[in-house]
Amino acid sequence: MNAITETDALPIDSLREQIDGIDTELIRLWQERSRLSQQVGQARMASGGTRLVLAREREILARFREALGADGTQVALLLLRSGRGPL
Ligand SMILES: C=C(O[C@@H]1C=C(C(=O)O)C=C[C@H]1O)C(=O)O
């Protein structure tokens, strides 16, 4: 039998702990970004500006696409939506 099982001597628990720590941090960062984005939007609208700034959103989409490829674009779209709401 060559199948690797979770009972083999692989550090699965340790790797999963690291993954869980990263996920916790990603969630915290996601929520923090969303709060900051909402603050920017509220401040801009309070001074008569627009809710959205498409040029800035394009920069963010490009940053994620360059770093992560097509999936990065999807991540960035969700990230932007979580801050400023749906289009
Ligand atoms: C937060 C802002 O407002 C909106 C939200 C953005 C974001 O979440 O990154 C980017 C552009 C704007 O559409 C901003 O202008 O920076």
Side-chain angles (χ1 to χ4, degrees):
M1 296 272 258
N2 289 324
I4 294 173
T5 71
E6 295 198 11
T7 56
D8 290 339
L10 292 171
I12 287 175
D13 287 349
S14 160
L15 294 170
R16 282 183 176 166
E17 272 176 29
Q18 292 176 66
I19 288 170
D20 289 347
I22 289 169
D23 287 352
T24 300
E25 186 71 357
L26 284 171
I27 290 165
R28 188 189 69 70
L29 288 168
W30 189 286
Q31 292 172 328
E32 185 180 344
R33 189 195 191 287
S34 181
R35 277 192 298 272
L36 292 169
S37 173
Q38 286 167 26
Q39 284 174 26
V40 172
Q42 282 163 9
R44 188 166 47 241
M45 285 195 287
S47 60
T50 57
R51 185 169 69 97
L52 308 181
V53 177
L54 294 180
R56 169 80 175 151
E57 296 205 5
R58 273 195 294 274
E59 286 173 14
I60 291 163
L61 286 164
R63 180 187 303 155
F64 276 78
R65 186 180 60 246
E66 281 160 23
L68 303 172
D71 286 352
T73 303
Q74 299 306 311
V75 170
L77 286 169
L78 291 171
L79 206 46
L80 289 166
R81 191 176 71 181
S82 98
R84 49 94 166 111
L87 292 174

Coordinates of all heavy atoms in Angstrom, one line a residue:
M1 N 0.8 -1.2 0.0 CA 0.0 0.0 0.0 C 0.9 1.2 0.0 O 1.7 1.5 0.9 CB -0.9 0.0 1.3 CG -1.9 -1.1 1.3 SD -3.4 -0.7 0.5 CE -4.4 -0.3 1.9
N2 N 0.7 2.1 -1.0 CA 1.5 3.3 -1.1 C 0.7 4.5 -0.7 O 1.2 5.6 -0.6 CB 2.0 3.5 -2.5 CG 3.1 2.5 -2.8 OD1 3.9 2.1 -1.9 ND2 3.1 2.0 -4.1
A3 N -0.6 4.4 -0.4 CA -1.4 5.6 -0.1 C -0.9 6.2 1.2 O -0.7 5.5 2.1 CB -2.9 5.2 0.0
I4 N -0.8 7.5 1.1 CA -0.4 8.3 2.3 C -1.7 8.6 3.1 O -2.7 9.1 2.6 CB 0.2 9.6 1.9 CG1 1.5 9.3 1.2 CG2 0.4 10.5 3.2 CD1 2.2 10.6 0.7
T5 N -1.7 8.2 4.4 CA -2.9 8.4 5.2 C -2.4 9.4 6.3 O -1.3 9.7 6.5 CB -3.3 7.2 5.9 OG1 -2.4 6.8 6.9 CG2 -3.5 6.0 4.9
E6 N -3.5 10.0 7.0 CA -3.2 11.0 8.0 C -2.5 10.3 9.2 O -2.1 11.0 10.1 CB -4.5 11.7 8.4 CG -5.0 12.5 7.2 CD -6.0 13.5 7.6 OE1 -6.1 13.8 8.8 OE2 -6.6 14.1 6.7
T7 N -2.5 9.0 9.2 CA -1.8 8.4 10.4 C -0.3 8.2 10.1 O 0.4 7.7 11.0 CB -2.5 7.0 10.7 OG1 -2.4 6.2 9.5 CG2 -3.9 7.2 11.2
D8 N 0.1 8.4 8.9 CA 1.5 8.3 8.6 C 2.3 9.4 9.3 O 1.7 10.3 9.9 CB 1.8 8.5 7.1 CG 1.3 7.2 6.3 OD1 1.1 6.2 7.0 OD2 1.0 7.4 5.1
A9 N 3.6 9.2 9.4 CA 4.4 10.2 10.1 C 4.7 11.5 9.4 O 5.8 11.9 9.3 CB 5.7 9.5 10.5
L10 N 3.6 12.1 8.8 CA 3.8 13.4 8.2 C 3.3 14.4 9.1 O 2.4 14.2 9.9 CB 2.9 13.4 6.9 CG 3.4 12.5 5.8 CD1 2.4 12.4 4.7 CD2 4.7 13.0 5.2
P11 N 3.9 15.6 9.1 CA 3.5 16.6 10.0 C 2.2 17.3 9.7 O 2.1 18.5 9.7 CB 4.7 17.6 10.0 CG 5.1 17.5 8.6 CD 4.9 16.0 8.1
I12 N 1.2 16.5 9.4 CA -0.1 17.1 9.0 C -0.7 18.1 10.0 O -1.1 19.2 9.7 CB -1.1 16.0 8.6 CG1 -0.6 15.4 7.2 CG2 -2.5 16.6 8.4 CD1 -1.4 14.2 6.8
D13 N -0.7 17.6 11.3 CA -1.3 18.5 12.3 C -0.6 19.8 12.4 O -1.2 20.9 12.5 CB -1.2 17.8 13.6 CG -2.2 16.7 13.7 OD1 -3.1 16.6 12.8 OD2 -2.2 15.9 14.7
S14 N 0.8 19.8 12.3 CA 1.5 21.0 12.4 C 1.3 21.9 11.2 O 1.1 23.1 11.3 CB 3.0 20.6 12.5 OG 3.8 21.7 12.1
L15 N 1.2 21.3 10.0 CA 1.0 22.1 8.8 C -0.4 22.7 8.9 O -0.6 23.9 8.5 CB 1.1 21.2 7.6 CG 2.5 20.7 7.3 CD1 2.5 19.6 6.2 CD2 3.4 21.8 6.9
R16 N -1.4 21.9 9.4 CA -2.8 22.4 9.5 C -2.8 23.6 10.5 O -3.6 24.5 10.3 CB -3.7 21.3 9.9 CG -4.1 20.5 8.7 CD -5.1 19.4 9.0 NE -5.5 18.7 7.8 CZ -6.2 17.5 7.9 NH1 -6.5 17.0 9.1 NH2 -6.5 16.9 6.8
E17 N -2.1 23.5 11.6 CA -2.0 24.6 12.5 C -1.5 25.9 11.9 O -2.1 26.9 12.1 CB -1.1 24.2 13.7 CG -1.8 23.5 14.8 CD -0.8 23.1 15.9 OE1 0.2 23.8 16.1 OE2 -1.1 22.0 16.5
Q18 N -0.5 25.7 11.0 CA 0.0 26.9 10.3 C -1.0 27.4 9.4 O -1.2 28.7 9.2 CB 1.3 26.5 9.6 CG 2.5 26.2 10.5 CD 3.7 25.8 9.7 OE1 4.2 26.6 8.9 NE2 4.1 24.5 9.9
I19 N -1.7 26.5 8.7 CA -2.8 27.0 7.7 C -3.9 27.7 8.5 O -4.4 28.8 8.1 CB -3.4 25.7 7.0 CG1 -2.3 25.3 5.9 CG2 -4.7 26.1 6.3 CD1 -2.7 23.9 5.3
D20 N -4.3 27.1 9.6 CA -5.4 27.8 10.4 C -4.9 29.2 10.9 O -5.7 30.1 10.9 CB -5.7 26.9 11.6 CG -6.5 25.6 11.2 OD1 -6.9 25.6 10.0 OD2 -6.6 24.7 12.0
G21 N -3.6 29.3 11.3 CA -3.1 30.6 11.7 C -3.2 31.6 10.6 O -3.5 32.8 10.8
I22 N -2.8 31.1 9.4 CA -2.8 32.0 8.2 C -4.3 32.4 7.9 O -4.6 33.6 7.6 CB -2.1 31.3 7.0 CG1 -0.6 31.3 7.3 CG2 -2.5 32.1 5.7 CD1 0.1 30.4 6.3
D23 N -5.2 31.5 8.0 CA -6.6 31.8 7.7 C -7.1 32.8 8.7 O -7.8 33.7 8.3 CB -7.4 30.5 7.7 CG -7.2 29.6 6.5 OD1 -6.5 30.0 5.6 OD2 -7.7 28.5 6.5
T24 N -6.8 32.6 9.9 CA -7.2 33.6 10.9 C -6.7 35.0 10.6 O -7.5 36.0 10.7 CB -6.8 33.1 12.3 OG1 -7.3 31.9 12.6 CG2 -7.2 34.1 13.4
E25 N -5.5 35.1 10.2 CA -4.9 36.3 9.9 C -5.5 36.9 8.6 O -5.7 38.1 8.6 CB -3.3 36.2 9.8 CG -2.6 37.4 9.6 CD -2.5 38.3 10.8 OE1 -3.1 38.0 11.8 OE2 -1.8 39.4 10.7
L26 N -5.7 36.1 7.6 CA -6.3 36.6 6.4 C -7.7 37.1 6.7 O -8.1 38.2 6.2 CB -6.5 35.4 5.4 CG -5.2 35.0 4.6 CD1 -5.5 33.7 3.9 CD2 -4.7 36.1 3.7
I27 N -8.5 36.5 7.5 CA -9.8 37.0 7.9 C -9.7 38.3 8.6 O -10.5 39.2 8.3 CB -10.6 35.9 8.7 CG1 -10.9 34.7 7.8 CG2 -11.8 36.5 9.3 CD1 -11.4 33.5 8.6
R28 N -8.8 38.4 9.5 CA -8.6 39.6 10.3 C -8.2 40.8 9.3 O -8.8 41.9 9.4 CB -7.5 39.5 11.3 CG -7.4 40.7 12.3 CD -6.2 40.6 13.2 NE -4.9 40.7 12.5 CZ -4.5 41.8 11.9 NH1 -5.2 43.0 12.0 NH2 -3.3 41.9 11.3
L29 N -7.3 40.5 8.4 CA -6.9 41.5 7.5 C -8.0 41.9 6.5 O -8.2 43.1 6.1 CB -5.6 41.0 6.7 CG -4.3 40.9 7.5 CD1 -3.3 40.2 6.7 CD2 -3.8 42.3 7.8
W30 N -8.8 40.9 6.1 CA -9.9 41.1 5.2 C -10.9 42.1 5.8 O -11.3 43.1 5.2 CB -10.6 39.8 4.9 CG -11.6 39.9 3.8 CD1 -12.9 40.4 3.9 CD2 -11.5 39.4 2.4 NE1 -13.5 40.3 2.7 CE2 -12.7 39.7 1.8 CE3 -10.5 38.8 1.7 CZ2 -12.9 39.4 0.5 CZ3 -10.7 38.5 0.4 CH2 -11.9 38.8 -0.2
Q31 N -11.2 41.8 7.1 CA -12.2 42.7 7.8 C -11.6 44.0 8.1 O -12.3 45.0 8.0 CB -12.6 42.0 9.1 CG -13.4 40.7 8.9 CD -13.7 39.9 10.2 OE1 -12.8 39.9 11.1 NE2 -14.8 39.3 10.2
E32 N -10.3 44.1 8.4 CA -9.7 45.4 8.6 C -9.7 46.2 7.3 O -10.0 47.4 7.3 CB -8.2 45.2 9.1 CG -7.5 46.5 9.5 CD -6.1 46.3 10.0 OE1 -5.8 45.1 10.3 OE2 -5.4 47.3 10.0
R33 N -9.3 45.6 6.2 CA -9.4 46.3 4.9 C -10.8 46.8 4.6 O -10.9 48.0 4.1 CB -8.9 45.4 3.8 CG -8.6 46.1 2.5 CD -8.5 45.2 1.3 NE -8.1 45.9 0.2 CZ -8.8 46.8 -0.5 NH1 -10.1 47.0 -0.2 NH2 -8.3 47.4 -1.6
S34 N -11.7 46.0 4.9 CA -13.1 46.4 4.6 C -13.5 47.6 5.4 O -14.1 48.5 4.9 CB -14.0 45.2 4.9 OG -15.4 45.5 4.6
R35 N -13.2 47.6 6.7 CA -13.5 48.8 7.5 C -12.8 50.0 7.0 O -13.4 51.1 6.9 CB -13.0 48.5 9.0 CG -14.0 47.7 9.8 CD -13.6 47.7 11.3 NE -12.3 47.1 11.6 CZ -12.1 45.8 11.8 NH1 -13.2 45.0 11.8 NH2 -10.9 45.4 12.0
L36 N -11.5 49.9 6.6 CA -10.8 51.1 6.1 C -11.4 51.6 4.8 O -11.6 52.8 4.6 CB -9.3 50.7 5.9 CG -8.5 50.4 7.2 CD1 -7.1 49.8 6.8 CD2 -8.3 51.7 8.0
S37 N -11.8 50.7 4.0 CA -12.4 51.0 2.7 C -13.7 51.8 2.9 O -14.0 52.8 2.3 CB -12.6 49.8 1.9 OG -13.4 50.1 0.7
Q38 N -14.5 51.3 3.9 CA -15.8 52.0 4.2 C -15.5 53.4 4.8 O -16.2 54.3 4.4 CB -16.5 51.1 5.3 CG -17.2 49.9 4.6 CD -17.7 48.9 5.7 OE1 -18.0 49.3 6.8 NE2 -17.7 47.6 5.3
Q39 N -14.4 53.5 5.6 CA -14.1 54.8 6.1 C -13.7 55.8 5.0 O -14.2 57.0 5.0 CB -13.0 54.7 7.1 CG -13.4 54.2 8.5 CD -12.2 53.9 9.4 OE1 -11.1 54.6 9.3 NE2 -12.3 53.0 10.3
V40 N -12.9 55.3 4.0 CA -12.6 56.2 2.9 C -13.8 56.6 2.1 O -14.0 57.8 1.8 CB -11.6 55.5 2.0 CG1 -11.3 56.3 0.7 CG2 -10.3 55.2 2.7
G41 N -14.7 55.6 1.9 CA -15.9 55.9 1.1 C -16.8 56.9 1.8 O -17.3 57.9 1.2
Q42 N -17.0 56.8 3.1 CA -17.8 57.7 3.9 C -17.2 59.1 3.9 O -17.9 60.1 3.8 CB -18.0 57.1 5.3 CG -19.0 56.0 5.4 CD -19.0 55.2 6.7 OE1 -18.3 55.6 7.6 NE2 -19.7 54.1 6.7
A43 N -15.9 59.2 4.1 CA -15.2 60.5 4.1 C -15.4 61.2 2.8 O -15.6 62.4 2.7 CB -13.7 60.3 4.5
R44 N -15.2 60.4 1.7 CA -15.3 61.0 0.4 C -16.7 61.5 0.1 O -16.9 62.6 -0.4 CB -14.8 60.0 -0.7 CG -14.7 60.7 -2.0 CD -13.9 59.8 -3.1 NE -14.4 58.5 -3.1 CZ -13.6 57.4 -2.8 NH1 -12.3 57.6 -2.5 NH2 -14.0 56.2 -2.9
M45 N -17.7 60.7 0.4 CA -19.1 61.1 0.2 C -19.5 62.2 1.1 O -20.2 63.1 0.6 CB -20.0 59.9 0.4 CG -19.9 58.9 -0.8 SD -21.3 57.7 -0.9 CE -20.9 56.7 0.5
A46 N -18.9 62.3 2.3 CA -19.3 63.4 3.2 C -18.7 64.7 2.6 O -19.3 65.8 3.0 CB -18.7 63.1 4.6
S47 N -17.7 64.6 1.8 CA -17.2 65.9 1.2 C -17.6 66.0 -0.2 O -17.0 66.7 -1.0 CB -15.7 65.9 1.4 OG -15.1 64.9 0.7
G48 N -18.7 65.4 -0.6 CA -19.3 65.5 -1.9 C -18.8 64.7 -3.0 O -19.1 64.9 -4.2
G49 N -17.9 63.7 -2.6 CA -17.3 62.9 -3.7 C -18.1 61.7 -4.0 O -19.3 61.5 -3.5
T50 N -17.6 60.8 -4.8 CA -18.3 59.6 -5.3 C -18.0 58.5 -4.3 O -17.0 58.4 -3.6 CB -17.8 59.2 -6.7 OG1 -16.4 59.0 -6.6 CG2 -18.1 60.3 -7.7
R51 N -18.9 57.5 -4.4 CA -18.7 56.3 -3.6 C -17.6 55.4 -4.1 O -16.8 54.8 -3.4 CB -20.0 55.4 -3.6 CG -20.0 54.2 -2.7 CD -21.4 53.6 -2.6 NE -21.9 53.0 -3.8 CZ -21.8 51.7 -4.1 NH1 -21.3 50.9 -3.3 NH2 -22.3 51.3 -5.3
L52 N -17.4 55.4 -5.4 CA -16.4 54.6 -6.1 C -15.4 55.5 -6.8 O -15.7 56.6 -7.2 CB -17.0 53.8 -7.2 CG -18.2 52.9 -6.8 CD1 -18.7 52.1 -8.1 CD2 -17.9 52.0 -5.7
V53 N -14.1 55.0 -6.9 CA -13.1 55.6 -7.7 C -12.6 54.5 -8.6 O -11.7 53.7 -8.2 CB -12.0 56.2 -6.8 CG1 -10.9 56.8 -7.7 CG2 -12.6 57.3 -5.9
L54 N -13.1 54.5 -9.8 CA -12.8 53.3 -10.7 C -11.3 53.2 -11.0 O -10.7 52.1 -11.2 CB -13.6 53.4 -11.9 CG -15.1 53.2 -11.6 CD1 -16.0 53.2 -12.9 CD2 -15.4 51.8 -10.9
A55 N -10.6 54.4 -11.2 CA -9.2 54.3 -11.5 C -8.4 53.6 -10.4 O -7.5 52.8 -10.7 CB -8.6 55.7 -11.7
R56 N -8.7 53.9 -9.2 CA -8.1 53.3 -8.0 C -8.4 51.8 -8.0 O -7.6 50.9 -7.7 CB -8.6 54.0 -6.7 CG -8.2 53.3 -5.5 CD -6.8 53.5 -5.0 NE -6.6 52.9 -3.7 CZ -5.4 52.5 -3.3 NH1 -4.3 52.6 -4.1 NH2 -5.3 51.9 -2.1
E57 N -9.7 51.4 -8.3 CA -10.1 50.0 -8.3 C -9.3 49.2 -9.4 O -8.9 48.1 -9.2 CB -11.6 49.9 -8.5 CG -12.3 50.5 -7.3 CD -13.7 49.9 -7.1 OE1 -14.1 48.9 -7.8 OE2 -14.4 50.4 -6.2
R58 N -9.1 49.9 -10.5 CA -8.3 49.3 -11.6 C -6.9 49.0 -11.2 O -6.3 47.9 -11.5 CB -8.3 50.1 -12.9 CG -9.6 49.9 -13.8 CD -9.4 50.5 -15.2 NE -9.3 51.9 -15.2 CZ -10.4 52.7 -15.2 NH1 -11.6 52.2 -15.3 NH2 -10.2 54.0 -15.2
E59 N -6.3 49.9 -10.4 CA -4.9 49.7 -9.9 C -4.9 48.5 -9.0 O -4.0 47.6 -9.1 CB -4.5 50.9 -9.1 CG -4.1 52.1 -9.9 CD -3.8 53.3 -9.0 OE1 -3.6 53.1 -7.7 OE2 -3.7 54.4 -9.5
I60 N -5.9 48.4 -8.1 CA -5.9 47.2 -7.2 C -6.2 45.9 -7.9 O -5.5 44.9 -7.6 CB -7.0 47.5 -6.1 CG1 -6.6 48.7 -5.2 CG2 -7.3 46.3 -5.3 CD1 -7.6 49.3 -4.4
L61 N -7.1 45.9 -8.9 CA -7.3 44.7 -9.7 C -6.0 44.3 -10.4 O -5.7 43.1 -10.5 CB -8.4 45.0 -10.7 CG -9.8 45.0 -10.1 CD1 -10.8 45.6 -11.1 CD2 -10.3 43.6 -9.7
A62 N -5.3 45.3 -11.0 CA -4.0 44.9 -11.7 C -3.0 44.4 -10.7 O -2.3 43.4 -11.0 CB -3.5 46.2 -12.4
R63 N -2.9 44.9 -9.5 CA -2.0 44.5 -8.5 C -2.2 43.0 -8.2 O -1.3 42.2 -8.2 CB -2.1 45.3 -7.2 CG -1.1 44.9 -6.1 CD -1.4 45.6 -4.8 NE -1.4 47.1 -5.0 CZ -2.0 48.0 -4.3 NH1 -2.8 47.6 -3.3 NH2 -1.9 49.3 -4.5
F64 N -3.5 42.6 -8.0 CA -3.8 41.3 -7.6 C -3.6 40.3 -8.8 O -3.2 39.2 -8.7 CB -5.2 41.2 -7.1 CG -5.3 41.5 -5.6 CD1 -5.2 42.8 -5.1 CD2 -5.4 40.5 -4.6 CE1 -5.3 43.1 -3.8 CE2 -5.4 40.8 -3.3 CZ -5.3 42.1 -2.9
R65 N -4.0 40.8 -10.0 CA -3.8 40.0 -11.2 C -2.3 39.7 -11.5 O -2.0 38.6 -11.8 CB -4.5 40.7 -12.4 CG -4.5 39.8 -13.7 CD -5.1 40.5 -14.8 NE -4.4 41.7 -15.2 CZ -4.9 42.9 -15.1 NH1 -6.1 43.1 -14.6 NH2 -4.2 44.0 -15.4
E66 N -1.5 40.7 -11.3 CA -0.1 40.5 -11.5 C 0.5 39.6 -10.5 O 1.4 38.7 -10.8 CB 0.7 41.9 -11.5 CG 0.5 42.6 -12.8 CD 0.8 44.1 -12.6 OE1 1.5 44.5 -11.7 OE2 0.2 44.9 -13.4
A67 N 0.1 39.6 -9.3 CA 0.6 38.8 -8.2 C 0.1 37.3 -8.3 O 0.8 36.4 -8.1 CB 0.3 39.3 -6.9
L68 N -1.2 37.2 -8.7 CA -1.9 35.9 -8.5 C -2.5 35.4 -9.8 O -3.2 34.3 -9.7 CB -3.0 36.0 -7.4 CG -2.5 36.5 -6.0 CD1 -3.6 36.8 -5.1 CD2 -1.5 35.5 -5.4
G69 N -2.4 36.1 -10.9 CA -3.1 35.6 -12.1 C -4.6 35.9 -12.1 O -5.1 36.7 -11.3
A70 N -5.3 35.1 -12.9 CA -6.7 35.3 -13.0 C -7.5 35.1 -11.7 O -8.4 35.9 -11.5 CB -7.3 34.3 -14.1
D71 N -7.0 34.2 -10.9 CA -7.7 34.1 -9.5 C -7.5 35.4 -8.7 O -8.4 35.7 -7.9 CB -7.1 32.9 -8.7 CG -7.5 31.6 -9.3 OD1 -8.4 31.5 -10.2 OD2 -7.0 30.5 -8.8
G72 N -6.4 36.1 -8.9 CA -6.2 37.3 -8.2 C -7.2 38.3 -8.5 O -7.7 39.1 -7.7
T73 N -7.7 38.4 -9.8 CA -8.7 39.3 -10.2 C -10.0 39.0 -9.4 O -10.7 39.9 -8.9 CB -9.0 39.2 -11.7 OG1 -7.8 39.4 -12.4 CG2 -10.0 40.1 -12.2
Q74 N -10.3 37.7 -9.3 CA -11.5 37.3 -8.6 C -11.4 37.7 -7.1 O -12.4 38.2 -6.5 CB -11.8 35.8 -8.7 CG -12.0 35.3 -10.2 CD -13.1 36.1 -10.8 OE1 -14.2 36.3 -10.3 NE2 -12.8 36.6 -12.0
V75 N -10.3 37.4 -6.5 CA -10.1 37.8 -5.1 C -10.2 39.3 -4.9 O -10.9 39.8 -4.0 CB -8.6 37.4 -4.6 CG1 -8.3 38.0 -3.3 CG2 -8.5 35.9 -4.6
A76 N -9.6 40.1 -5.8 CA -9.7 41.5 -5.7 C -11.1 42.0 -5.9 O -11.6 43.0 -5.2 CB -8.8 42.2 -6.8
L77 N -11.9 41.4 -6.8 CA -13.3 41.8 -7.0 C -14.1 41.6 -5.7 O -14.9 42.5 -5.3 CB -13.9 41.0 -8.1 CG -13.5 41.5 -9.5 CD1 -14.0 40.5 -10.6 CD2 -14.0 42.9 -9.9
L78 N -13.9 40.5 -5.0 CA -14.6 40.2 -3.7 C -14.1 41.2 -2.6 O -14.9 41.6 -1.8 CB -14.3 38.7 -3.3 CG -15.0 37.7 -4.2 CD1 -14.5 36.3 -3.8 CD2 -16.5 37.8 -4.1
L79 N -12.8 41.4 -2.7 CA -12.2 42.3 -1.7 C -12.8 43.7 -1.8 O -13.3 44.4 -0.8 CB -10.7 42.4 -1.9 CG -9.7 42.7 -0.8 CD1 -10.1 42.0 0.5 CD2 -8.3 42.4 -1.3
L80 N -12.9 44.2 -3.0 CA -13.5 45.5 -3.3 C -14.9 45.6 -2.9 O -15.4 46.5 -2.3 CB -13.3 45.9 -4.8 CG -11.8 46.2 -5.2 CD1 -11.7 46.2 -6.7 CD2 -11.4 47.5 -4.6
R81 N -15.6 44.5 -3.2 CA -17.1 44.5 -2.9 C -17.3 44.5 -1.4 O -18.3 45.1 -0.9 CB -17.7 43.3 -3.5 CG -19.3 43.4 -3.4 CD -19.9 42.2 -4.1 NE -19.7 41.0 -3.5 CZ -20.2 39.8 -3.9 NH1 -20.9 39.7 -5.0 NH2 -20.0 38.7 -3.2
S82 N -16.4 43.8 -0.7 CA -16.6 43.7 0.8 C -16.4 45.1 1.4 O -17.0 45.3 2.5 CB -15.7 42.7 1.4 OG -14.6 43.2 2.0
G83 N -15.7 46.0 0.8 CA -15.5 47.3 1.4 C -16.6 48.3 0.9 O -17.2 48.9 1.8
R84 N -16.7 48.4 -0.3 CA -17.6 49.5 -0.8 C -19.0 49.0 -1.2 O -19.9 49.8 -1.7 CB -17.0 50.3 -2.0 CG -16.4 49.4 -3.1 CD -17.4 49.2 -4.2 NE -16.7 48.7 -5.4 CZ -16.9 47.5 -5.9 NH1 -17.7 46.6 -5.2 NH2 -16.3 47.1 -7.0
G85 N -19.3 47.7 -1.1 CA -20.6 47.2 -1.4 C -20.6 46.8 -2.9 O -19.7 47.1 -3.6
P86 N -21.7 46.1 -3.3 CA -21.9 45.7 -4.7 C -22.0 46.9 -5.6 O -22.5 48.0 -5.2 CB -23.1 44.9 -4.7 CG -23.9 45.2 -3.5 CD -22.9 45.8 -2.5
L87 N -21.6 46.7 -6.9 CA -21.8 47.8 -7.9 C -23.2 48.0 -8.2 O -24.0 47.1 -8.2 CB -21.0 47.4 -9.1 CG -19.4 47.4 -9.0 CD1 -18.8 46.9 -10.2 CD2 -18.9 48.8 -8.6
Ligands
LIG1 C1 -11.4 52.9 -0.4 C2 -11.7 53.6 -1.4 O1 -12.9 53.7 -2.0 C3 -13.4 52.7 -2.9 C4 -13.0 51.4 -2.4 C5 -11.7 50.9 -2.8 C6 -11.1 49.8 -2.1 O2 -11.7 49.1 -1.3 O3 -9.8 49.6 -2.3 C7 -11.1 51.5 -3.9 C8 -11.6 52.5 -4.6 C9 -13.0 53.1 -4.3 O4 -13.9 52.6 -5.2 C10 -10.6 54.4 -2.0 O5 -10.9 55.3 -2.9 O6 -9.4 54.2 -1.7

